[in-house]
Amino acid sequence: MGYDLTIEPLGQTITLEDGQTILDASLRAGIYLPHACGHGLCATCKVQILDGEVEHGEASTFALMDFEREEGKTLACCAIPQSDVTIEADIDVEPDARNIAVQDFAGTVSRIEALTPTIKAVFVKLDGGRAMEFQSGQYVNLHIPGHPELTRPFSIANAPQVDGEIELNIRIVPGGAATTYIHESLKAGDEVTVAGPYGRFFLRTSRATPYLFLAGGSGLSSPRSMIHDLLAEGCTQPITLVYGARNRGELYYHDEFVALAEAHDTFTYVPALSDEPADSAWSGARAFVHEAARDHFGNDFRGHTAYLCGPPLMIESAISTLMQGRLFERDIFIEKFISAADANQVRSPFFKKF
């Protein structure tokens, strides 16, 4: 039998299945608890136990120290109740957030397209014509067929208005078991399972400010979903995408964004290449993402809300540039789901949320 979990300050009680973690049960009930790595390493999901007993699972002794365990703290991503439990969590009120219950979706790979030499678009048709409800910017966990130990998070690249099929843009990671399988073995017709939606990266539409998206590499997935979402909903605020890659061959969906900029007066597209051959025909910016953004806006980002997605070094540079251009933490949002390999990396000293 499962146990009851009461979450304060919400005062809401849910029932857990045997062996289910506090975080998984909460998300599947549509209750968001702050979290990041999901592996017991980063401490983002630390909560206070007010009553009851839990098994701490694989929580790192660095993320959850011995004295914290004695004080009744635990990591929601690892903690499994051993009785009815009451916890207190640091839950932020976000006016634009929709607490959508996480669900499992069976589906079939409908097609796979090569976007660049290292990134593939994987399209999954959900069984039974089901549609996944999500906010643009969120992600799913993809379960690799035949390999239950291989579950990886990937951002949804299409807008919520697309029913019954989701698109995932997946970059191959050298030595990565999951992405290597996806790039070399996964094929159209394969059955897969996805769980979602996850994440707290979404549009702050209530702000009614111009949108600035900075993306690098496969970090384009979430901004693409968000931009298509905004345009589909008739957004009247200015929208700017600064997207960077090393060279033209790695700059994907370029033609699509050029066409969107031509079709919508509110949308501006600024592509940038950091390592394009000097003798090529490229006429756009030859710079890193943060440099292209600084030049485009004249180092003045005031009045914008910025959304950052990409490699850690790109994020770090972009945060510094935005702050130098008088945009500050309250106006900067970062796509944040952390792998086990990333969880122990140092975060930006400039930015509490990173």
Side-chain angles (χ1 to χ4, degrees):
M1 59 177 278
Y3 296 108
D4 287 342
L5 170 68
T6 301
I7 302 170
E8 299 293 354
L10 300 178
Q12 189 165 343
T13 299
I14 59 177
T15 300
L16 283 72
E17 299 177 3
D18 289 336
Q20 190 175 24
T21 66
I22 288 174
L23 178 62
D24 184 65
S26 300
L27 295 177
R28 290 180 180 275
I31 300 171
Y32 177 80
L33 296 183
H35 64 282
C37 78
H39 304 284
L41 297 173
C42 72
T44 304
C45 65
K46 192 176 295 180
V47 296
Q48 178 70 47
I49 302 169
L50 301 178
D51 187 49
E53 301 291 332
V54 304
E55 168 58 50
H56 296 293
E58 298 181 357
S60 162
T61 55
F62 295 99
L64 185 67
M65 297 183 182
D66 290 341
F67 78 87
E68 293 179 305
R69 299 172 193 235
E70 294 173 0
E71 292 175 350
K73 293 183 172 60
T74 194
L75 302 185
C77 71
C78 297
I80 298 175
Q82 304 299 298
S83 68
D84 291 344
V85 171
T86 300
I87 64 169
E88 184 174 42
D90 184 14
I91 301 175
D92 293 330
V93 176
E94 291 273 9
D96 297 301
R98 295 170 54 206
N99 290 324
I100 304 169
V102 169
Q103 300 180 59
D104 295 312
F105 295 82
T108 303
V109 177
S110 54
R111 66 189 190 278
I112 298 176
E113 299 177 1
L115 299 176
T116 77
T118 60
I119 300 173
K120 287 190 175 181
V122 177
F123 297 83
V124 178
K125 189 75 173 178
L126 303 180
D127 288 356
R130 293 180 69 189
M132 177 184 290
E133 184 182 2
F134 67 93
Q135 289 187 267
S136 56
Q138 291 190 294
Y139 68 93
V140 297
N141 281 332
L142 174 66
H143 303 274
I144 308 302
H147 300 272
E149 76 284 3
L150 296 181
T151 299
R152 298 291 186 270
F154 298 108
S155 297
I156 304 171
N158 57 275
Q161 291 83 0
V162 177
D163 287 336
E165 186 177 60
I166 61 172
E167 177 186 348
L168 309 175
N169 298 161
I170 300 173
R171 179 178 65 87
I172 189 168
V173 177
T179 60
T180 297
Y181 181 91
I182 291 167
H183 273 250
E184 298 181 358
S185 301
L186 192 69
K187 61 185 183 301
D190 284 353
E191 296 180 352
V192 296
T193 302
V194 296
Y198 291 98
R200 210 63 165 176
F201 191 62
F202 54 85
L203 294 166
R204 271 64 179 185
T205 54
S206 64
R207 287 171 167 248
T209 57
Y211 296 88
L212 171 58
F213 298 94
L214 304 183
S218 59
L220 181 63
S221 297
S222 289
R224 180 173 183 257
S225 175
M226 292 166 138
I227 290 166
H228 277 286
D229 187 11
L230 288 169
L231 295 177
E233 295 299 314
C235 175
T236 58
Q237 292 291 336
I239 305 166
T240 303
L241 168 64
V242 183
Y243 173 51
R246 286 191 295 272
N247 55 61
R248 180 63 184 88
E250 296 179 357
L251 193 74
Y252 71 102
Y253 283 131
H254 173 72
D255 293 340
E256 173 183 287
F257 287 115
V258 169
L260 285 175
E262 292 175 350
H264 299 273
D265 293 338
T266 56
F267 177 60
T268 301
Y269 172 49
V270 182
L273 302 179
S274 62
D275 193 27
E276 176 71 358
D279 58 353
S280 76
W282 177 252
S283 60
R286 294 175 181 265
F288 291 104
V289 171
H290 67 284
E291 295 170 334
R294 181 195 60 208
D295 294 345
H296 181 78
F297 285 95
N299 199 35
D300 186 352
F301 302 101
R302 287 175 294 179
H304 288 78
T305 300
Y307 301 84
L308 280 53
C309 314
L313 286 177
M314 188 222 90
I315 297 292
E316 180 80 16
S317 300
I319 291 172
S320 178
T321 298
L322 290 173
M323 287 186 165
Q324 290 172 21
R326 303 186 68 179
L327 197 68
F328 300 105
E329 184 174 351
R330 66 181 179 272
D331 301 312
I332 303 172
F333 298 93
I334 301 167
E335 183 174 47
K336 185 179 181 183
F337 57 80
I338 302 175
S339 70
D342 294 333
N344 288 323
Q345 292 183 1
V346 175
R347 303 294 160 207
S348 171
F350 302 111
F351 202 69
K352 296 177 182 178
K353 291 185 285 187
F354 182 43

